[in-house]
Amino acid sequence: MREHVWGTGAATGVGSMPGTDAREAARTVTGSLEHFPYLPELPARGPGADMIGRTAGLLVELYARLEPSGWRVGDAPGRDTRRARSWLGEDLDALEEFTQGHTGALKVSAVGPWTLAASLERRGGEAMLGDAGACRYLAESLAEGLRAHLAEVRRRVPGARVVLQLDEPSLTAALLGRVPTASGYRTHPAVDRGVAEGALRQVVGAAREAAEGTSVVVHSCAPGVPFGLLRRAGADGISFDLSLLTERDDEAVGEAVEAGTALFAGAVPAVEPDSSALSDPAGSVMGVRTLWRRLGLSPKLLARSVVVTPACGLAGASPAYARAALAHCVRAARSLVNDPE
C-alpha cells in the first residue's frame, strides 16, 4: 500500500473560500487544517481571482484577457493578467505568513488542461478545446507555468511536502462531447481518451519534475469522474463529490484504491443545508464506510486511503460555516481512524 505525504486520517479543503481577505482566509485554513492546509482561492474579489483567471495568470507565453463572453487568449499580458498575478502573490504572502515552520503536506490548486481548454476562448471566440493544436500548446504552457509556481511555493514554505490539485470539472463533459460551442447550438467533438490521458500525464510529470516528492490530486465535483483514466495518468489521489458516486463507479474506484490511489471524498456539504449538518462527524462519512463494504475492501485501508473534504469549494458559504465545515472534516477523518468498521 502506497504511503501518502498527508498520512493517515487526513482532512483538507477543496480550494475556494468566502470573502476577499487573503490573510483571514489563510488564517482560517491553517488554523482549521493544521496537518493538511491549502492555498485558498477567493473568487469574490472578482475576475482574476476566479479559478480560470488565476490559472491563466500562471501560463507561460500565453496570455488571457477578460471579454464579456469569458476569458480569451491574447498577444501580450494585459491588465487582467497583471491583476491575477498580483492577487496570487497576495495569497502566497498570506500563506507564507501562516505556515512558518510547517513541515507536512500543503496543497495548492490550478485548473487542469481540459477544463482550461473548455473555458479559454481562442481569438475568434470558440473554446480552445475545438483546436487540437491549441490544446497541445495550452498543456505545454500550463506545465511550464506550474513548474515555476510550485518552485515558488517550495521557496516560500521550504519544509512543506507540496500537493498539487488539478481542477477538472469539465473533463467528463469534454470526454463525452458535451462542451457547447460559442453559439450554444452545437457541442465540440469528444476528446479522445488517450489524448486526454496524455495531456494530463504531461502536466502531472511536470509537477513532479518541478519539486521532488510533489503529489498530484485531480478534482472534479461533476458526475461521472473518470477514475480509471486519472489513475493511469498518474494521479496520486482523486477528489470528488461523494454524493454523486454511483454503483456504476464501483469497479473503477476499487481498482484505484487497490493501485494505491487515494480518494479525496467530498463528504461534507459545501453550503450549510440545515442546522444539524455538522452535528455528527461519523455520520458524515457513513457513505465512505458503505462504499468500502460494497467494494469488499479491508477496513484497515480506510483511513490510509481516504482524505475527507467538503463536497466542493466553500466560496458560496458564510465565513462561519466555512470554518465549521473544515473543522468538521478533521473530526470526520479522525472517526475513520477510531472506528474503521
Side-chain angles (χ1 to χ4, degrees):
M1 180 69 186
R2 188 190 313 178
E3 293 295 331
H4 296 289
V5 299
W6 45 80
T8 299
T12 191
V14 173
S16 65
M17 289 288 286
T20 60
D21 188 329
R23 292 187 73 255
E24 181 59 30
R27 180 187 291 110
T28 296
V29 165
T30 56
S32 301
L33 303 167
E34 179 181 353
H35 298 293
F36 196 178
Y38 65 98
L39 177 65
E41 299 169 357
L42 298 174
R45 289 183 297 194
D50 62 297
M51 68 179 196
I52 299 298
R54 181 165 169 160
T55 301
L58 295 174
L59 298 175
V60 173
E61 296 184 357
L62 189 63
Y63 310 103
R65 65 180 186 274
L66 192 62
E67 298 287 346
S69 56
W71 288 93
R72 183 175 298 180
V73 297
D75 296 319
R79 177 184 60 186
D80 297 319
T81 298
R82 290 192 294 271
R83 181 170 52 194
R85 291 175 177 174
S86 175
W87 271 331
L88 178 58
E90 182 181 313
D91 295 336
L92 287 169
D93 288 343
L95 183 73
E96 182 179 3
E97 177 183 350
F98 288 98
T99 53
Q100 292 297 308
H102 180 71
T103 57
L106 172 67
K107 184 163 68 67
V108 298
S109 302
V111 177
W114 296 107
T115 295
L116 204 57
S119 304
L120 279 181
E121 299 174 355
R122 290 171 281 162
R123 290 174 178 80
E126 287 292 353
M128 296 186 78
L129 188 67
D131 184 324
C135 289
R136 287 193 296 271
Y137 184 62
L138 180 61
E140 292 169 0
S141 175
L142 177 62
E144 288 303 312
L146 286 173
R147 284 191 179 98
H149 179 49
L150 293 171
E152 175 69 3
V153 173
R154 289 291 292 268
R155 184 187 68 79
R156 288 171 176 265
V157 193
R161 305 187 72 179
V162 180
V163 178
L164 171 65
Q165 175 180 300
L166 294 173
D167 291 313
E168 281 286 14
S170 298
L171 174 59
T172 299
L175 293 172
L176 297 176
R178 294 177 180 171
V179 176
T181 59
S183 69
Y185 294 115
R186 297 183 297 107
T187 58
H188 291 284
V191 174
D192 179 84
R193 296 181 76 87
V195 172
E197 182 181 321
L200 284 163
R201 188 181 298 111
Q202 177 184 8
V203 175
V204 169
R208 294 198 173 117
E209 290 171 6
E212 185 179 354
T214 297
S215 300
V216 181
V217 175
V218 181
H219 167 72
S220 174
C221 51
V225 176
F227 286 92
L229 185 153
L230 298 177
R231 173 178 57 81
R232 292 190 299 273
D236 298 287
I238 301 172
S239 173
F240 57 95
D241 182 341
L242 182 63
S243 70
L244 298 179
L245 209 63
T246 71
E247 292 189 18
R248 292 193 300 272
D249 299 307
D250 281 4
E251 182 177 355
V253 172
E255 289 175 351
V257 173
E258 290 175 347
T261 306
L263 303 181
F264 282 57
V268 176
V271 292
E272 186 170 5
D274 56 61
S275 59
S276 64
L278 306 182
S279 61
D280 181 9
S284 294
V285 288
M286 187 56 68
V288 177
R289 291 189 175 90
T290 301
L291 171 67
W292 230 246
R293 288 193 292 269
R294 201 164 68 226
L295 296 176
L297 295 169
S298 168
K300 295 179 181 179
L301 295 178
L302 185 54
R304 296 168 61 189
S305 302
V306 173
V307 178
V308 179
T309 75
C312 205
L314 294 167
S318 69
Y321 180 77
R323 287 191 297 271
L326 294 178
H328 186 80
C329 287
V330 173
R331 293 192 296 271
R334 180 51 51 185
S335 77
L336 295 179
V337 176
N338 296 335
D339 183 16
E341 299 290 345

